[in-house]
Amino acid sequence: AALQCGRGVYYSRSRNGLWRKGDTSGHFQTLHRIDVDCDGDALRFTVTQRGDDVVTFCHLHTLTCWGEPGGIRRLEGTLRSRLSDAPAGSYTK
C-alpha cells in the first residue's frame, strides 16, 4: 500500500486496518525508501513529513512518535528558542 501511494501507510490496531498517515490530519509522509532489517521482521520508512505544521506530527504534539528529539534536532530546537527568546541587545540577535 505504501509503495502504491508513495506515502507512509501503517497498520493501526485501533482502526483494525491500514491507515495512511495524514488522511485526516493533513500531516502526511512522502515515502522515499523502505529498508528491511537483518531478519526480515521489521521495516524502516525514510520519509519527509509534510503538512501545515511540520513541528508536530504525532498526536502527542511531537515531531515523531518516538518522543522528543535528541542529537542535532534537539540542538536546532535549542538554538531556535534562544534566538526567539533573546532579550533586546543580546549578541544572539
Side-chain angles (χ1 to χ4, degrees), residues 3-76:
L3 290 174
Q4 289 175 336
C5 68
R7 289 178 42 195
V9 178
Y10 306 93
Y11 181 80
S12 169
R13 289 188 308 247
S14 63
R15 293 180 171 112
N16 196 29
L18 292 180
W19 161 66
R20 285 192 320 188
K21 173 78 174 132
D23 278 354
T24 55
S25 69
H27 295 165
F28 63 96
Q29 299 170 330
T30 300
L31 180 63
H32 299 288
R33 178 180 172 151
I34 301 175
D35 296 305
V36 180
D37 75 339
C38 62
D39 57 356
D41 64 355
L43 299 174
R44 177 179 60 190
F45 284 16
T46 301
V47 300
T48 300
Q49 304 278 30
R50 306 274 187 205
D52 293 335
D53 180 4
V54 296
V55 176
T56 59
F57 277 87
C58 175
H59 72 286
L60 298 175
H61 304 288
T62 58
L63 182 62
T64 75
C65 294
W66 301 97
E68 293 297 326
I72 196 74
R73 285 239 188 237
R74 175 173 278 167
L75 176 59
E76 180 183 16

Side-chain angles (χ1 to χ4, degrees), residues 69 71-84:
I72 196 74
R73 285 239 188 237
R74 175 173 278 167
L75 176 59
E76 180 183 16
T78 299
L79 295 174
R80 285 178 192 256
S81 174
R82 287 182 182 172
L83 180 61
S84 67

